[in-house]
């Protein structure tokens, strides 16, 4: 069997007449000199003819290397399907997102959660240990995400559950890893150190802009600002764990994020955090409704590129290469669960309050209800639009909850996975690489 | 033709390793969970 062109090729314009080639299956990105482009076009059109010279021979090999040309009998879609099935239905890893409390010390206007105010009882904690013990055999790893509410309001529960889960993993030679999603307000050095001892390797903390903006959006329940304390905590906590700094953006604060970067640089935090922007949307009916403030996906994509460019320019740890996905998230995976303080088990975090189908049972039940099957039977390969999409390897269908009408938003999830945005990100990578090279060259000269 | 990002080449063993992706509960701009830049990368 001869060669054929991959269905996941992108060819687009780079700088100075060069072409860029990207393959979403292999993740390869290559720069093509202007004089080589016509030859490559011919090779792609007829990959099975004998190369006429050394240049053609080398280019042919290079196209094969990057996955731009593949074996004629290689069914890329079938391969993706296998990868997807393996990831979703593997029992290699047990993934638990645990909310020890739904209480929160903040009152962010865009919060989507239903504040039940519940904190986990001892009985539920014991049941979580039982649930974990039952599902761990055969697993190679246990991954835990501490979530809430504000999980640090239930710090003693995190401590005691972590100890028990670590013990379970120790008994079975199972790798344990943990992360925490916290507003950062209570993450003082003692807590950060203790969490690190308990296997928490990273924390996601949110700052929504410079103090003037952040302190209007992410306020304490009594209305007071939180920026100063969070920033201090980030500085000290970063000694113990990786900090992923999330910036929730909408039309009112997107342009102010530059001021946040100024401040982070001034405060010496630039190298201590990884930073990313996320769009606020109407996740549920409990969000206060400043509809005008939310950005459309198109607006966000446009702004996001500009913001990423700024981050890259300033040397923040922000750009990541696109990675092929095997599955989307916990919601579509067999062995991944979210557990609420009362012991309910959910598949979708956002749906905990408003999406009935999200709940698949309770730690007090012996088995899951029928909702579990509905999540697991979702299949991106039954969606014609996804099957024919060149971005499928990077997206795998997007947020599964959208399939169940989770959100008040009517936009289709894949609208933000558009090709233009992807290619703009790849161009940004080329700029990033050039800027890195320049920086290294300057350092060497110095 | 110069590679700026090398291709990921899978073997069966690497395919199995990919299953590790399950541990990361991201990702989309919809999802408030960890390590999500909002677009294609986790």
């Amino acid at each position: 069997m001869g060669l054929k062109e991959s269905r996941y090729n992108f060819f687009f314009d780079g700088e100075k007449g060069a072409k860029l080639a990207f393959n979403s299956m292999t993740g390869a990105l290559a720069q093509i000199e202007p004089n080589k482009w016509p030859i490559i076009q011919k090779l792609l059109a007829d990959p099975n003819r004998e190369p006429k010279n050394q240049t053609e021979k080398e280019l042919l090999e290079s196209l094969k290397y990057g996955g731009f040309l593949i074996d004629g009998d290689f069914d890329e879609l079938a391969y993706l399907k296998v990868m997807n099935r393996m990831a979703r239905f593997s029992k290699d890893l047990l993934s638990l997102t645990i909310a020890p409390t739904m209480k929160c010390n903040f009152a962010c206007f865009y919060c989507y959660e239903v504040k039940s105010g519940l904190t986990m009882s001892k009985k539920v904690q014991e049941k979580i240990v039982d649930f974990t013990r039952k599902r761990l055999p055969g697993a190679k790893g246990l991954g835990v995400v501490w979530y809430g509410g504000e999980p640090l309001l239930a710090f003693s529960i995190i401590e005691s559950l972590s100890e028990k889960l670590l013990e379970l993993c120790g008994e079975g030679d199972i790798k344990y890893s943990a992360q925490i999603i916290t507003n950062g307000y209570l993450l003082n050095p003692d807590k950060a150190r203790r969490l690190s001892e308990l296997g928490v390797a990273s924390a996601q903390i949110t700052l929504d802009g410079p103090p003037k903006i952040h302190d209007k959006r992410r306020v304490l329940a009594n209305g007071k600002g939180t920026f100063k304390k969070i920033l201090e905590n980030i500085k000290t906590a970063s000694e113990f764990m990786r900090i992923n700094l999330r910036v929730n953006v909408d039309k009112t604060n997107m342009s102010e994020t530059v001021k946040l970067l100024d401040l982070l640089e001034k405060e010496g935090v630039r190298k201590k955090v990884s930073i990313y922007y996320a769009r606020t949307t109407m996740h549920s009916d409990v969000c206060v409704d400043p509809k005008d403030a939310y950005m459309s996906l198109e607006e966000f994509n446009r702004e996001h590129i500009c913001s990423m460019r700024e981050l890259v320019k300033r040397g923040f740890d922000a750009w990541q290469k696109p990675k092929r996905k095997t599955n989307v998230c916990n919601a579509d995976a067999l062995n991944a669960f979210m557990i609420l303080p009362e012991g309910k088990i959910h598949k979708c975090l956002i749906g905990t309050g408003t999406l009935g189908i999200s709940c698949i049972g309770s730690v007090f039940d012996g088995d899951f209800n029928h909702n579990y099957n509905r999540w697991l039977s979702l299949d991106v390969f039954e969606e014609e639009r996804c099957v024919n999409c060149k971005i499928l390897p990077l997206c795998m269908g997007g947020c599964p909850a959208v399939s169940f009408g989770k959100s008040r938003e009517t936009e289709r999830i894949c609208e933000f996975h558009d090709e233009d945005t992807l290619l703009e990100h790849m161009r940004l990578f080329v700029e990033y690489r050039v800027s890195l090279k320049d920086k290294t060259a300057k350092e060497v000269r110095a | 033709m110069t590679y700026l990002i090398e291709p990921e080449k899978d073997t069966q063993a690497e395919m199995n390793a990919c299953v590790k992706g399950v541990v990361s509960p991201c990702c989309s701009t919809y999802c408030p969970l960890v390590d999500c830049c909002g677009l294609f990368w986790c």
Side-chain angles (χ1 to χ4, degrees), chain A residues 196-415:
Chain A
S196 170
E197 288 166 3
L198 294 168
V200 177
S202 69
Q204 179 192 291
I205 299 176
T206 301
L207 286 174
D208 272 2
K212 197 176 82 178
I213 302 295
H214 174 94
D215 285 343
K216 281 182 187 158
R217 295 164 64 88
R218 297 186 64 80
V219 294
L220 288 171
N222 64 13
K224 285 192 177 166
T226 58
F227 186 94
K228 195 176 166 197
K229 193 161 185 178
I230 295 172
L231 185 62
E232 285 309 312
N233 285 344
I234 286 174
K235 286 181 193 171
T236 51
S238 64
E239 304 294 324
F240 301 102
M241 58 186 66
R242 190 161 50 89
I243 304 294
N244 300 310
L245 186 61
R246 179 178 176 113
V247 185
N248 287 326
V249 289
D250 58 35
K251 285 176 189 168
T252 65
N253 69 332
M254 191 80 202
S255 62
E256 299 286 331
T257 53
V258 175
K259 290 178 190 160
L260 172 65
L261 303 185
D262 289 341
L263 192 73
L264 294 176
E265 285 182 311
K266 192 178 146 201
E267 294 285 336
V269 179
R270 191 184 67 183
K271 297 287 180 192
K272 295 176 188 282
V273 298
S274 298
I275 188 166
Y276 70 95
Y277 300 101
R279 185 175 72 109
T280 55
T281 56
M282 290 293 287
H283 281 313
S284 74
D285 291 334
V286 298
C287 304
V288 178
D289 194 356
K291 263 184 197 154
D292 298 346
Y294 295 133
M295 281 186 278
S296 68
L297 289 166
E298 194 182 31
E299 286 168 329
F300 175 75
N301 283 340
R302 199 169 51 238
E303 295 289 338
H304 189 240
I305 288 286
C306 298
S307 306
M308 290 284 286
R309 187 162 275 125
E310 187 64 29
L311 285 169
V312 164
K313 198 173 82 184
R314 289 169 180 247
F316 277 87
D317 176 14
W319 203 93
Q320 289 176 288
K321 65 180 181 182
K323 279 177 76 174
R324 190 175 61 215
K325 272 195 203 327
T326 46
N327 66 305
V328 179
C329 64
N330 280 353
D332 69 359
L334 180 84
N335 224 16
F337 310 96
M338 184 190 179
I339 307 175
L340 296 184
E342 68 272 35
K344 281 184 181 164
I345 303 173
H346 279 254
K347 283 308 274 177
C348 175
L349 189 72
I350 301 165
T352 52
T354 53
L355 182 64
I357 194 173
S358 174
C359 185
I360 58 166
S362 157
V363 289
F364 293 97
D365 301 336
D367 208 350
F368 301 122
N369 64 35
H370 298 310
N371 289 340
Y372 187 49
N373 295 332
R374 291 183 66 188
W375 287 98
L376 295 182
S377 62
L378 283 174
D379 188 357
V380 66
F381 295 95
E382 288 176 3
E383 299 289 333
E384 197 184 338
R385 188 151 80 138
C386 294
V387 165
N388 294 322
C389 179
K390 286 167 72 174
I391 301 176
L392 180 63
L394 305 175
C395 160
M396 276 297 157
C399 179
V402 168
S403 304
F404 296 124
K406 157 209 65 93
S407 171
R408 285 171 54 169
E409 196 162 2
T410 54
E411 292 161 298
R412 289 291 296 270
I413 190 75
C414 55
E415 284 184 14

Side-chain angles (χ1 to χ4, degrees), chain A residues 62 65 79 244 276 324 328, chain B residues 3 6 10 26 30 35-36:
Chain A
S62 198
Y65 173 71
Y79 178 75
N244 300 310
Y276 70 95
R324 190 175 61 215
V328 179
Chain B
Y3 276 90
E6 295 292 318
D10 294 314
C26 49
Y30 284 85
D35 290 359
C36 168

